[in-house]
Amino acid sequence: MLKKTTVAWDLSDLFDGPSDPRIEKSLDSALDRARRFAQTYRGKIDNPELTAKTLLDAITEYESIVQEIAKPVSYASLLFSADTSKPKHGALLQHVQERHTEIALELMFFELELMAVKPEIIDPILADDRLANYRHFVRAARLFREHRLSEPEERILEEKANTGARAFERLFEESISSIEFKIVLDGEEKTLLESEVLALLRDPDREVRKSAAASLTEGLLRHSRLLTFIFNTLIYDKSIDDRLRRYSYPEEARNIANELDREIVEMVIDTCVKNYPIVARYYRIKREILGYDKLYHYDRYAPLFESKKQYSFDEAREIVVESFRRFSETMGNAAKEFFESKWIDAAPRKGKRGGAFCMYMTPDLHPYVLLSYLNRVDDIMTLGHELGHGVHAYLSRKQSFLNFHSTLPVAELASTFGEMLVFESLVQRFDLKEKLALYAEKIEEAFATIFRQASMYRFEQELHRARRERGELTREEINEIWQRNIQAMFEDSVELGEEHANWWMYVNHFVSSPFYVYAYSFGELLVMALYSMYRREGESFVPKYLDLLRAGGSLAPSELLAQVGIDIRDPSFWQSGMSVVEGLVDDFEALYKEWSCRSSD
């Protein structure tokens, strides 16, 4: 059995450690600059005498300050994510958040004035070529014009956040990371991390999967009172924010931040829901292959065939880098640098937060990737996903900081495209039986990204409305909402047992980023359609795609995608992406028939 990787990132490009005096110096410098910025520009932005030069000077100084703040904030977050069990990591994160709030309060007036300035004043100024690089930033900020409060009110909310929502988010992360999941394997009781017990839901032995599901549930239930309280508190906190900021529905703030109309978001989700039968069709085939009378929640990710084949982290590295390089030398070289420069933390360890992410950092630095690599094929796909993000951030460093970050739905585009490149590479390496299993994994991943995220979005919508209408919800009430919405995507092909009803408790997106999840559905469907374009256009598609990544967040999603000929308001475009998903199921069914014929010979 392959040993777990020990690969860890090197954060010294940021700071030398939690006690590095440069952290405090950086925060002190940012605070001093923020105070001078306020003295210079307060009252001069929302002003009839505003000029293009004044606005440009203000934005460039503001951008420089917020970029400086981002470094200690990101560093503290990276340290805490890699090991939440160390008190000094939590203490540093809390300290940096408090100092960040102090700085943010000094800068708060700027975006408030930027939103308040009258259109007849700001529009002609934005037409000036000197503001070309910042038009999107200003227009995106002004989308929130009707939802900002007065500066004194905003200051109070910002100061209280560190003992309010942010504190509960940290409590959630620490609580989930500290849960010990007990399970008996090979006659021996073991204590597993969340990532490890979730990995066992993909074990070829059905009894192991069943035990893993029971272990996950038991661990969550031991903390269910706390987790239910955290969810209730944060959902109620959001409802207060929404009321004070005059949002008319719970998802509105997320939609504005993503620069997407409600109609577009609902069209994408409705497309997913309408195509739930694709999910049921696949799982009926899988049930036949596995020879089960019925599939349960712990069978969803069961491998089709028992395989002891594992992949070292070095093998995963070679597969991902070569997959990216076959598409583009530029992408391959960028991915290679992540490994050579130690920008990846892949070692599973106690206290490490669950899941995986890529932190974009700042344009003058480089991104970092976190995952827990456990030598499986799906870990290779996860690495490809996060390095898709990483290459996006790497290429968009030509943008200035305010144009660096894409909105969430577009950010998921690059990650999913990276996964597709890795998938195509693995298909070419495998024999028929392995290929059948690989298609199953890819389809299940696509389902988890498209349909499951859509069903989780519907869960969140109903959960937030229920909390507002009925008050604090019990675990059983949340269980019912969760179970009904997730079960809908499977129809009658999979039976989600009572254990599964509790599994909303470990999903951190619900806590830290309400309504984030639809970005996955949007991004995956978008990539399916884009990948279809790539297959049709071949090499001519590559420079267009790279330009899309290099653009970062310099344009709204609709403008950015229009540059490659995509109209996101066209329902047929989204259905074309769904056709690619259905095509994967068609290919899977054909491979199964071929394999069945060979097996019977």
Side-chain angles (χ1 to χ4, degrees):
M1 184 174 182
L2 289 177
K3 292 182 179 179
K4 294 175 183 176
T5 182
T6 58
V7 170
W9 51 30
D10 178 1
L11 302 180
S12 61
D13 285 347
L14 282 162
F15 299 99
D16 292 333
S19 302
D20 189 335
R22 291 182 299 150
I23 296 174
E24 208 61 30
K25 287 180 181 178
S26 179
L27 292 166
D28 288 342
S29 171
L31 179 59
D32 181 61
R33 292 178 66 191
R35 285 170 175 164
R36 283 187 275 115
F37 178 81
Q39 290 170 1
T40 303
Y41 292 106
R42 184 182 292 277
K44 292 185 179 178
I45 306 303
D46 182 18
N47 190 308
E49 303 301 318
L50 179 66
T51 66
K53 183 180 185 309
T54 298
L55 182 58
L56 178 62
D57 289 346
I59 292 176
T60 52
E61 175 62 9
Y62 172 81
E63 180 176 53
S64 176
I65 296 169
V66 294
Q67 179 165 312
E68 184 177 356
I69 303 168
K71 293 171 184 176
V73 171
S74 298
Y75 179 72
S77 179
L78 290 170
L79 273 183
F80 181 72
S81 296
D83 190 350
T84 66
S85 68
K86 291 185 176 179
K88 64 180 180 180
H89 291 176
L92 177 65
L93 181 64
Q94 182 67 23
H95 173 69
V96 169
Q97 285 178 339
E98 290 171 4
R99 292 298 310 275
H100 178 267
T101 294
E102 186 181 12
I103 297 162
L105 291 174
E106 296 292 337
L107 298 173
M108 186 176 287
F109 80 93
F110 178 63
E111 285 201 33
L112 292 174
E113 288 198 28
L114 200 57
M115 284 183 271
V117 62
K118 294 178 180 178
E120 57 266 29
I121 295 172
I122 196 73
D123 290 346
I125 289 174
L126 289 178
D128 191 303
D129 288 342
R130 287 175 290 178
L131 271 300
N133 189 52
Y134 295 110
R135 284 176 191 143
H136 176 247
F137 162 70
V138 173
R139 288 168 179 161
R142 286 173 63 80
L143 292 174
F144 289 93
R145 192 177 183 205
E146 303 302 320
H147 305 287
R148 292 300 184 189
L149 306 178
S150 68
E151 186 176 347
E153 291 169 322
E154 291 286 0
R155 291 175 68 92
I156 291 170
L157 288 178
E158 176 61 29
E159 287 205 70
K160 292 290 288 181
N162 289 323
T163 54
R166 290 179 197 143
F168 278 99
E169 289 168 24
R170 175 183 163 189
L171 178 60
F172 172 83
E173 291 291 354
E174 290 189 0
S175 299
I176 289 292
S177 299
S178 69
I179 296 176
E180 295 184 339
F181 296 96
K182 306 287 186 181
I183 187 171
V184 176
L185 296 173
D186 300 323
E188 180 185 348
E189 184 176 83
K190 296 185 178 181
T191 300
L192 302 181
L193 308 175
E194 179 202 357
S195 59
E196 292 174 322
V197 78
L198 288 173
L200 289 179
L201 293 174
R202 300 174 184 273
D203 195 273
D205 187 327
R206 197 180 199 190
E207 287 305 311
V208 170
R209 296 196 304 274
K210 189 174 181 179
S211 295
S215 173
L216 176 64
T217 305
E218 191 275 332
L220 292 172
L221 285 176
R222 274 189 281 114
H223 295 74
S224 63
R225 185 173 180 181
L226 173 63
L227 295 172
T228 302
F229 180 72
I230 291 172
F231 268 69
N232 270 290
T233 300
L234 287 171
I235 293 169
Y236 183 52
D237 182 76
K238 186 181 187 311
S239 74
I240 295 171
D241 271 353
D242 287 351
R243 173 172 54 79
L244 294 175
R245 296 186 184 284
R246 300 174 297 279
Y247 289 115
S248 57
Y249 59 97
E251 314 92 273
E252 188 173 11
R254 176 65 63 195
N255 291 347
I256 294 174
N258 288 341
E259 298 179 68
L260 293 173
D261 296 339
R262 186 182 194 179
E263 293 73 23
I264 292 174
V265 174
E266 290 302 318
M267 178 175 62
V268 172
I269 298 301
D270 286 345
T271 300
C272 296
V273 173
K274 183 177 68 176
N275 285 275
Y276 277 173
I278 296 175
V279 178
R281 174 192 164 199
Y282 164 78
Y283 276 103
R284 291 186 188 111
I285 301 170
K286 182 170 185 176
R287 182 178 62 203
E288 182 180 340
I289 296 173
L290 292 174
Y292 295 163
D293 292 332
K294 185 180 288 188
L295 294 181
Y296 294 99
H297 52 286
Y298 48 80
D299 295 319
R300 287 177 299 163
Y301 301 116
L304 295 186
F305 311 106
E306 183 166 2
S307 173
K308 299 188 182 300
K309 190 168 184 179
Q310 294 185 311
Y311 299 84
S312 69
F313 190 74
D314 286 341
E315 289 176 297
R317 163 185 173 157
E318 186 266 330
I319 290 168
V320 172
V321 171
E322 287 308 309
S323 299
F324 282 27
R325 180 169 284 126
R326 270 195 293 273
F327 175 78
S328 156
E329 193 74 23
T330 298
M331 281 184 57
N333 290 339
K336 183 180 178 183
E337 192 166 351
F338 278 77
F339 297 94
E340 293 179 341
S341 301
K342 297 184 178 180
W343 299 344
I344 301 173
D345 191 294
R349 67 177 74 89
K350 186 176 181 179
K352 188 172 185 177
R353 62 153 281 182
F357 66 75
C358 172
M359 187 171 285
Y360 278 38
M361 302 303 299
T362 58
D364 61 324
L365 284 171
H366 52 78
Y368 285 98
V369 163
L370 177 141
L371 72 156
S372 292
Y373 188 83
L374 299 171
N375 305 320
R376 307 165 309 189
V377 170
D378 61 297
D379 292 323
I380 303 176
M381 300 291 281
T382 299
L383 185 60
H385 180 101
E386 298 307 334
L387 281 174
H389 278 307
V391 169
H392 190 184
Y394 185 93
L395 293 179
S396 64
R397 291 186 299 173
K398 61 175 285 189
Q399 300 293 336
S400 62
F401 185 72
L402 295 178
N403 289 331
F404 182 47
H405 296 273
S406 303
T407 60
L408 291 175
V410 176
E412 290 303 330
L413 179 160
S415 56
T416 310
F417 200 91
E419 268 193 76
M420 285 297 292
L421 293 173
V422 173
F423 170 71
E424 293 283 2
S425 176
L426 289 171
V427 165
Q428 295 172 18
R429 292 168 176 255
F430 288 178
D431 61 25
L432 177 60
K433 187 175 180 180
E434 292 173 321
K435 198 176 295 185
L436 184 61
L438 180 64
Y439 260 88
E441 287 192 16
K442 177 57 186 172
I443 290 167
E444 288 164 16
E445 177 274 324
F447 287 176
T449 309
I450 297 173
F451 299 109
R452 185 167 180 263
Q453 302 300 325
S455 63
M456 290 203 295
Y457 176 67
R458 290 290 190 232
F459 159 72
E460 274 195 281
Q461 286 181 307
E462 189 172 344
L463 177 65
H464 280 257
R465 284 165 175 75
R467 177 66 178 85
R468 295 178 186 200
E469 293 167 5
R470 289 149 49 186
E472 184 163 305
L473 302 171
T474 64
R475 173 179 63 85
E476 291 77 11
E477 288 174 312
I478 301 176
N479 283 4
E480 191 280 326
I481 299 171
W482 166 260
Q483 193 82 328
R484 175 165 37 80
N485 279 282
I486 307 301
Q487 182 68 67
M489 68 174 273
F490 295 101
E491 298 182 347
D492 63 354
S493 65
V494 176
E495 183 177 313
L496 302 178
E498 283 304 308
E499 291 175 337
H500 177 272
N502 299 281
W503 289 4
W504 53 270
M505 286 189 235
Y506 72 85
V507 183
N508 66 337
H509 285 324
F510 298 153
V511 168
S512 60
S513 306
F515 302 104
Y516 180 108
V517 292
Y518 78 70
Y520 288 109
S521 301
F522 187 104
E524 179 95 11
L525 272 184
L526 178 59
V527 164
M528 292 298 179
L530 277 173
Y531 213 78
S532 181
M533 288 176 63
Y534 168 49
R535 284 175 168 170
R536 292 194 307 270
E537 298 178 14
E539 286 298 314
S540 65
F541 175 84
V542 175
K544 290 192 292 187
Y545 178 74
L546 294 180
D547 285 345
L548 196 65
L549 301 190
R550 290 188 181 105
S554 60
L555 295 169
S558 58
E559 297 170 320
L560 192 63
L561 295 168
Q563 294 188 345
V564 291
I566 293 171
D567 177 7
I568 63 173
R569 295 184 179 278
D570 181 2
S572 64
F573 168 75
W574 298 106
Q575 188 56 45
S576 73
M578 198 61 75
S579 298
V580 176
V581 179
E582 190 165 20
L584 288 172
V585 178
D586 291 340
D587 292 344
F588 174 76
E589 191 166 26
L591 286 169
Y592 172 50
K593 288 178 180 177
E594 183 182 352
W595 177 77
S596 298
C597 290
R598 289 190 187 181
S599 299
S600 61
D601 289 344

